[in-house]
Amino acid sequence: FELDDRGFFPCACGYQICRFCWNRLKSDTNKCPACRNEYGEQPAEFKPMTKEDFERIKLEKRQRALERRQKEIQARQKLVNIRVVQRNLVYVVGLAPRMASEEALRDGDFFGKHGKIAKVVVNRHPVYHGAAGPSCSAYITFVRQEDSAAAIAAIDGTVVEGRVVKASFGTTK
């Protein structure tokens, strides 16, 4: 109901309808849809809303919206520490700095041969300094999940430039 229709009761039975519907019913059947009594010329009860009523309703709406937002924030905060495995995302560690470029990872000799790659993000910092020297990590997003699984199966545990490359499905927050 519109705010100004909330105090409008055209029939003595207490059935509430908006003024637009009341006018239409008066011209069509002139009967209340609930009790089937004929409508009089004036509505049985009509209390126009006061300015205080409008302000109270606006305040209640604002409070409901604020409560709704707070519930959404609480629901999101529960998800802050949850990571979701993305089956089309491959996380690779142990890359030699020479291999830590988008072009090298997209190459048909490395990840490109396993399927179409949508996105490559190389993380050069922080660089891990192991026995074989510094190494980097990367996220490779494949278009298809099957391609990422094939890439992980083929590359995980292989030795590239004296380094063991590890690959797994990537996670996201």
Side-chain angles (χ1 to χ4, degrees):
F1 284 104
E2 295 284 331
L3 290 178
D4 54 350
D5 284 335
R6 288 188 179 190
F8 182 70
F9 298 90
C11 186
C13 75
Y15 186 73
Q16 187 176 21
I17 58 174
C18 70
R19 289 183 289 175
F20 174 79
C21 294
W22 177 63
N23 283 322
R24 199 181 102 239
L25 284 170
K26 279 186 63 83
S27 65
D28 290 348
T29 63
N30 198 32
K31 291 186 179 182
C32 173
C35 68
R36 307 305 292 163
N37 288 331
E38 287 195 12
Y39 286 124
E41 281 301 313
Q42 295 297 319
E45 184 180 341
F46 179 57
K47 292 185 279 183
M49 294 187 74
T50 63
K51 188 173 184 175
E52 292 81 24
D53 290 338
F54 275 116
E55 295 300 322
R56 180 181 47 80
I57 290 171
K58 282 183 186 177
L59 180 63
E60 288 171 359
K61 265 188 178 178
R62 275 191 233 122
Q63 287 175 339
R64 282 193 303 269
L66 179 63
E67 288 172 7
R68 194 177 320 113
R69 273 181 276 169
Q70 287 174 342
K71 284 181 184 178
E72 289 174 4
I73 289 170
Q74 287 175 350
R76 283 189 194 133
Q77 290 201 350
K78 289 178 185 176
L79 298 175
V80 166
N81 295 323
I82 295 176
R83 294 189 177 268
V84 178
V85 175
Q86 282 190 289
R87 298 285 176 192
N88 66 333
L89 181 65
V90 177
Y91 176 61
V92 185
V93 293
L95 295 171
R98 188 182 69 76
M99 295 295 299
S101 70
E102 183 174 343
E103 298 79 28
L105 294 173
R106 282 185 184 269
D107 186 34
D109 293 335
F110 207 32
F111 281 98
K113 68 181 175 185
H114 299 288
K116 186 173 180 183
I117 296 174
K119 182 179 176 184
V120 175
V121 177
V122 178
N123 185 8
R124 288 179 174 64
H125 307 290
V127 175
Y128 174 72
H129 294 282
S135 65
C136 303
S137 63
Y139 288 94
I140 297 100
T141 306
F142 284 87
V143 173
R144 296 180 341 134
Q145 293 181 5
E146 299 82 18
D147 298 339
S148 63
I152 291 170
I155 293 173
D156 187 38
T158 60
V159 178
V160 178
E161 294 187 15
R163 294 175 169 77
V164 177
V165 178
K166 296 189 181 206
S168 63
F169 288 115
T171 60
T172 185
K173 282 189 176 183

